[in-house]
Structure formats: C-alpha cells, structure tokens
Amino acid sequence: MASKPIFFLSSQSHFSGAQTWIKAGYWYANGEFPIQYINSALFTHLSFAFAEVNASNYQLSIPSSSEQYLSTFATIVKRRNPSVKTLLSVWNGISATGKSISGEKVNDSILSSMVSSSSTRKSFIDSSMKADYAFHGIDLLGLA
C-alpha cells in the first residue's frame, strides 16, 4: 500500500512599512500528518486544505473525507498558539498548469465561475456563513 504524501507548506511575507511578519502554512486534511503534531507556535496563519465549491449551486462543499477534522482543527492548533488565525482553503481541482502537465483538458475553474456573478458569489457567501467551523476566514485558491 502506497502512503499518501504529507502536504504542509509554509510561506513568510513581510510588507514594507509594517513590522509584522506573516508566517502561513497549509494542513492537508487527506494527508497523514496529524493535526496535533502541527507546531502552530511557528505560524501566524494556518489554512485547512481543502474545501470545495459545488459546481451546480456554487455553495461551499466539504469533502466527506475532510469533515471529521473540521470541528477540531481550530481548537487543536489554538492550544499551542491562541493567536493563530485559521482559514478554510477552498480549491477545486488542480490548476491549469497542473492539468496541462498531466495532459488533461484545461477549463475555467468552478471558483472563477463562482466569483464572476453576484448571484453565485451570494450563494457561496451565504453557504459559507452558515458553516460553523470556527475559522477566521476563507482562502480562495486556483482562481484563473
């Protein structure tokens, strides 16, 4: 049985004029790295990867394999660092670059379609506000 790769990325940003460094990371829910092993003291922002956008109604969609971790992610990472900001990362499939490398047909992403219309944005926003997962915000990935 092949093991799943661990997907935990981090980045640092410093904006001129500001004295605050942003240290961000992504925790991949379908990986094998347990939440409780994240050293959240090293980060200012941690993102839970990934939720999706439903292609038919443009509402926030949580993959069933990730659902079990959503209710505990923010609580667990805040134990070690109460000031860490938690984000829910929303992504719909591999990027256009990734698709072209793998030989797949490149289409506009569902995220791009969702943000292009006020009614579909409203559908997404309304469904996101109903979700009760204690995140500070949403991180939209993969906009074309």
Side-chain angles (χ1 to χ4, degrees):
M1 180 166 99
S3 65
K4 295 179 185 175
I6 295 173
F7 187 82
F8 193 77
L9 304 173
S10 69
S11 64
Q12 294 184 4
S13 298
H14 182 73
F15 300 99
S16 64
Q19 298 300 314
T20 303
W21 284 87
I22 296 174
K23 300 174 190 168
Y26 287 84
W27 180 78
Y28 181 52
N30 293 326
E32 294 179 355
F33 191 82
I35 299 170
Q36 61 270 22
Y37 293 157
I38 299 171
N39 184 354
S40 58
L42 299 173
F43 299 95
T44 58
H45 296 74
L46 281 170
S47 293
F48 181 101
F50 295 102
E52 299 171 355
V53 176
N54 181 303
S56 61
N57 61 17
Y58 296 100
Q59 293 184 358
L60 180 68
S61 174
I62 308 300
S64 59
S65 60
S66 301
E67 199 132 346
Q68 64 183 338
Y69 304 110
L70 281 172
S71 62
T72 60
F73 178 79
T75 304
I76 291 172
V77 299
K78 286 183 165 293
R79 284 183 193 149
R80 194 175 272 176
N81 180 0
S83 65
V84 70
K85 301 297 181 206
T86 57
L87 303 167
L88 179 59
S89 289
V90 178
W91 185 49
N92 276 90
I94 60 177
S95 67
T97 302
K99 283 185 177 186
S100 63
I101 290 170
S102 67
E104 294 180 50
K105 183 178 178 185
V106 178
N107 292 322
D108 287 338
S109 76
I110 295 166
L111 284 175
S112 294
S113 297
M114 181 269 295
V115 300
S116 67
S117 157
S118 62
S119 64
T120 55
R121 285 192 306 268
K122 181 175 180 0
S123 179
F124 177 77
I125 292 166
D126 290 347
S127 67
S128 298
M129 292 176 68
K130 290 177 187 173
D132 186 25
Y133 299 116
F135 289 100
H136 291 100
I138 292 180
D139 174 26
L140 299 176
L141 296 170
L143 290 172

